[in-house]
Amino acid sequence: MSKTVDLAAEPYAFTLSPGHCALLIIDMQRDFLEPGGFGEMLGNDVSQLRRTIEPNRRLLAAWRAAGLPALHTREGHRPDLSDLPPAKKVRGRSATTIGDAGPMGRILVRGEAGHDIIPELYPAPGEPVIDKPGKGAFHATDLHSILQHRDVKQLVVTGVTTEVCVNTTVREANDRGYDCLVLEDCCGSYFPEFHAMGLKMIKAQGGIFGWVAHSDGLVEALAGLK
């Protein structure tokens, strides 16, 4: 697919190259987004994240219909916690931490119900799921290899949370030479001010880490690729 599409974005238009682009959906996991999960247990307002579900669902449907590759990530650790740094385990000084029993199984442990992706955005057969032990999707994963083998040079990035795992992944991608388009309505944070600032940091100084846009323009463009 050699056709390119110019999309309205900040700080300037983003030229999408569908033949070299992948959608990367970050950490849309039950424990983060569902009422009664670990995120809510910590006192967070999960509605701040749940507002991103419908825009992501709409985008993912259009992306799949256009025949483009989508990938999903999940933050979590091995059941024996051998990949969990002690500093991460104790950070936050919460009474309940990673690996402990939570509302949906052991918290942030691979294979537990809360660790899995929400049903609304569940990966289709053939869509890679990147299980990452850290905030960034490239750290200690095979994401870079998968993207290289598929000749991906651009990433459309969505998911949660904007200032943590989304921002970290975009910065990692930037250092590896990928152009990143972050969709503001498809990302979210428990803290609206962090969401706004996280997007500002990505598009600052002429797009120091990437571009920011709304999903509407991309969904419309994808319809024209069919």
Side-chain angles (χ1 to χ4, degrees):
M1 191 180 296
S2 58
K3 180 181 179 181
T4 61
V5 180
D6 288 333
L7 300 171
E10 293 183 281
Y12 51 88
F14 180 82
T15 301
L16 180 77
S17 178
H20 300 282
C21 191
L23 173 63
L24 185 61
I25 304 177
I26 305 292
D27 296 2
M28 297 292 281
Q29 294 165 249
R30 296 185 62 201
D31 247 339
F32 297 148
L33 285 101
E34 290 190 356
F38 180 52
E40 187 172 79
M41 190 184 80
L42 293 177
N44 295 304
D45 177 6
V46 296
S47 69
Q48 295 292 337
L49 303 192
R50 292 190 63 79
R51 66 164 185 79
T52 69
I53 295 176
E54 180 55 26
N56 269 291
R57 188 203 60 76
R58 179 168 167 261
L59 170 66
L60 183 56
W63 195 266
R64 287 168 173 165
L68 301 180
L71 302 92
H72 309 255
T73 77
R74 298 181 296 201
E75 182 181 353
H77 298 275
R78 296 174 179 272
D80 64 2
L81 305 183
S82 59
D83 60 347
L84 175 62
K88 183 179 180 182
K89 168 75 172 170
V90 302
R91 191 166 299 142
R93 298 183 178 182
S94 174
T96 305
T97 61
I98 297 170
D100 294 342
M104 299 182 191
R106 295 177 66 203
I107 295 165
L108 290 187
V109 169
R110 297 173 189 175
E112 300 289 335
H115 172 260
D116 210 358
I117 293 168
I118 59 174
E120 296 94 329
L121 297 172
Y122 209 76
E127 292 178 350
V129 177
I130 308 299
D131 281 320
K132 59 188 184 70
K135 307 305 182 190
F138 290 89
H139 169 65
T141 75
D142 54 3
L143 175 59
H144 187 49
S145 293
I146 292 172
L147 297 176
Q148 284 186 313
H149 293 160
R150 297 186 177 197
D151 199 23
V152 171
K153 297 176 175 27
Q154 299 178 331
L155 294 173
V156 173
V157 184
T158 73
V160 300
T161 60
T162 312
E163 78 280 13
V164 184
C165 294
V166 171
N167 231 279
T168 302
T169 296
V170 168
R171 291 169 186 239
E172 288 180 332
N174 177 74
D175 283 345
R176 288 165 174 78
Y178 297 97
D179 286 334
C180 292
L181 175 66
V182 179
L183 300 180
E184 57 188 346
D185 57 317
C186 294
C187 296
S189 170
Y190 296 122
F191 310 99
E193 66 272 25
F194 291 174
H195 171 72
M197 191 54 65
L199 295 174
K200 285 183 179 180
M201 284 189 270
I202 289 168
K203 64 187 179 182
Q205 301 183 65
I208 192 167
F209 296 120
W211 290 255
V212 174
H214 194 280
S215 68
D216 284 350
L218 178 54
V219 170
E220 182 179 350
L222 290 171
L225 296 177
K226 298 178 184 178

